[in-house]
Amino acid sequence: MSAVSIHSLHKHYPGVHALNNVDLTIPQGEFFGLLGPNGAGKTTLISVMAGLTRATSGEVSVMGFDVVKQYRQARQHLGVVPQEVVFDPFFTVGEMLRIQSGYFGLGRSNRAWIEELLETLHLTSKMNTRMRALSGGMKRRVLIAQALVHRPAVLVLDEPTAGVDVELRKILWQFTTKLHQEGHTIILTTHYLEEAEALCNQIAIINQGEVVALDSKQGLLARNPYRMLRVTVSEAPEKLPERLVPLLHEQKDTDFTFRLHRKDDPIADVLHALRHAGVEIMDLHIGEPTLESVFLTLTE
Amino acid sequence: MNLYGLYTLFSKEVWRFLRVSTQTLGAPAITALLFLVVFAQAMETRVTVLEGISYQVFLVPGLIMMSMIQNAFANSSSSLLQSKMNGSLVFLLLAPLSAIELYLAYVSAAIVRGFLVGMVIYVVAWLFIDIGIAHLLWVLLFAVFSSAVLGALGLMVGVLATRIEQVAGFQNFIILPMSFLSGVFYSIYSLPPFWQAVSKINPFFYMVDGFRYSFFQQSDVSPGLSLLWVFVFFTLLSAASLHILKHGYKMRN
């Protein structure tokens, strides 16, 4: 059984086809990245999954439960950290968590887990603080605790690190990695491609409401067979060896950057050609393909 | 049925208004008592509405009911609108709560607020005015179901409204005039025939009139008829608000 299963999903808004025939299966235990430019349909997809938005047509299930027909079971298995920092100003952190736990039918028996969550997210000292008095980063931690309060098998994080400082981002990365190791399925949408590259095993790229790529991280990276070789030389030659001219991507003073095909253009050949032309090599830097370059190719 | 979830939402809604009890219980009680003092002072010697009952005493049940229905409406409408405005409604929408559970929690909390406001006004009035209750069961039936009608209406308005002004407008231009024109300060038989007919299509008239019967055993129309109308409005508004919640209109979009 997959953690999330999406079949022929369509969502129309007036004048916008926000999701266009989306088919996606996310296996259990996956750290899944959902990438796409602004307005691509990521949040709409998550909203349909969570029951926050009704699909125009198609089916979505979470842990085998249909999100419309079996919404109670589906929601019991799903935790969502919303993109925006939202909170109820009337209540304290501890009260918010107990209320959220209660909505899921969990009473006193869940208090130990709430305390554990508060401790893990460094919120214990803020338990009796009203939500409005917390910093933005602290509020975001509470959102994560709220999403986990009913111990869902699947956790969706909708751009959790947008606008947070480096320290909090690091804590969130560590925390989500730990949850993944404990067996949770994590679905992450993010604008930070290095974040997806560092954390996710499987990645789907959405553009204009359609899934334009669904692959493992390695598979996606392999879609860009080029790497960049920057060579710093002691003195720029008057004329570059003829064989290297088509490979030259950029030149700045004594820095030459070559775009090399992983299979057809061995680095050794470039270095040999430069030495043969009497060029003294001072430094080298190899830039491997990034998710960003693949992302840009697929979404431009 | 997610009974614990329902209970949690109900408790949260009750705590929400108790946290600001000066505003949610104190202020309406003061307003009602000011009406009582001012109107009673100005009209006491000039008006007799029901035989054997002073105008001051006559006013009390109507003012209690008027405050109950206004506050029951305010409770569910403001809570829903605020949670929509600050985005915290998402926590509720993510939870495994059905439309009926949401409805019961919001309407029950509205009943509690209406009831508490009514209790406060009654107790304070009772300290200064000799006013007894003739039929406690009728008092409870009218208090609970009238608050429930307005709780359900507030729920609908809270769901459908997108701006604070819309709820305030509904309150100021519909709830307030209708509650003032429901016979709180007079018997409808003191009005010309046309306005008597108009009063009889005002749901609040039956709430006030039936509630007043519970105190004095005197009313403009039969208390059974009043209770029947309250049930009819309760059924209609409950069905409409459940329909809206079930379809997620203006919520799950």
Side-chain angles (χ1 to χ4, degrees), chain A residues 204-279:
Chain A
I205 297 179
I206 296 186
N207 194 30
Q208 295 179 342
E210 292 181 35
V211 177
V212 293
L214 171 61
D215 212 333
S216 65
K217 184 171 66 186
Q218 289 74 18
L220 276 178
L221 291 173
R223 291 185 184 208
N224 182 352
Y226 292 97
R227 52 187 169 182
M228 310 304 267
L229 172 69
R230 194 179 71 225
V231 183
T232 307
V233 298
S234 59
E235 196 178 331
E238 276 181 24
K239 197 179 167 197
L240 207 59
E242 206 165 300
R243 181 192 174 327
L244 300 184
V245 173
L247 302 177
L248 185 66
H249 178 70
E250 189 180 47
Q251 187 199 343
K252 276 186 187 167
D253 301 329
T254 55
D255 282 348
F256 291 81
T257 305
F258 300 98
R259 185 168 180 261
L260 306 178
H261 192 278
R262 195 177 286 277
K263 283 183 184 163
D264 302 338
D265 308 308
I267 292 172
D269 285 5
V270 177
L271 300 180
H272 179 75
L274 285 170
R275 281 201 206 97
H276 193 71
V279 178

Side-chain angles (χ1 to χ4, degrees), chain A residues 141-191:
Chain A
R141 287 186 214 187
V142 179
L143 285 181
I144 293 171
Q146 277 181 275
L148 287 167
V149 81
H150 57 292
R151 299 173 185 257
V154 183
L155 179 67
V156 178
L157 299 123
D158 194 2
E159 297 188 24
T161 51
V164 306
D165 63 28
V166 179
E167 193 198 343
L168 178 58
R169 190 176 302 176
K170 203 172 139 194
I171 292 171
L172 293 179
W173 281 26
Q174 284 168 350
F175 187 64
T176 45
T177 306
K178 181 172 164 270
L179 289 170
H180 180 233
Q181 283 163 355
E182 286 169 0
H184 289 266
T185 304
I186 312 280
I187 301 168
L188 173 76
T189 79
T190 179
H191 273 307

Side-chain angles (χ1 to χ4, degrees), chain A residues 50-52 54 71-72 75-76 86-91 95 99-100 102-104 106-107 130 143 146, chain B residues 2 4-5 8-9 12 16 19 82 86-88 90-98 101 246-247 252-253:
Chain A
L52 298 173
R54 299 265 160 88
Y71 69 93
R72 284 195 202 267
R75 290 182 203 168
Q76 285 283 1
V86 290
F87 61 92
D88 193 329
F90 282 93
F91 298 100
E95 286 166 343
I99 288 168
Q100 196 65 21
Y103 288 163
F104 283 85
L106 302 166
R130 289 250 176 131
L143 285 181
Q146 277 181 275
Chain B
N2 179 359
Y4 196 80
T8 304
L9 179 57
K12 188 202 122 188
R16 196 188 65 84
R19 285 269 157 95
Q82 275 177 20
N86 65 30
S88 65
V90 70
F91 304 126
L92 204 56
L93 300 180
L94 288 169
L97 286 161
S98 65
E101 287 152 5
K246 198 171 176 195
H247 290 270
R252 297 189 189 275
N253 266 310

Side-chain angles (χ1 to χ4, degrees), chain B residues 193-246:
Chain B
F194 173 77
W195 290 108
Q196 283 184 35
V198 170
S199 295
K200 284 185 178 172
I201 56 167
N202 178 358
F204 297 173
F205 160 70
Y206 298 100
M207 297 172 188
V208 168
D209 199 55
F211 194 64
R212 189 175 285 134
Y213 173 85
S214 326
F215 285 79
F216 311 134
Q217 298 190 84
Q218 291 185 59
S219 53
D220 286 348
V221 297
S222 141
L225 179 69
S226 292
L227 194 61
L228 181 70
W229 274 115
V230 173
F231 278 139
V232 169
F233 294 124
F234 173 67
T235 309
L236 289 176
L237 286 168
S238 296
S241 51
L242 274 166
H243 178 80
I244 285 172
L245 289 173
K246 198 171 176 195

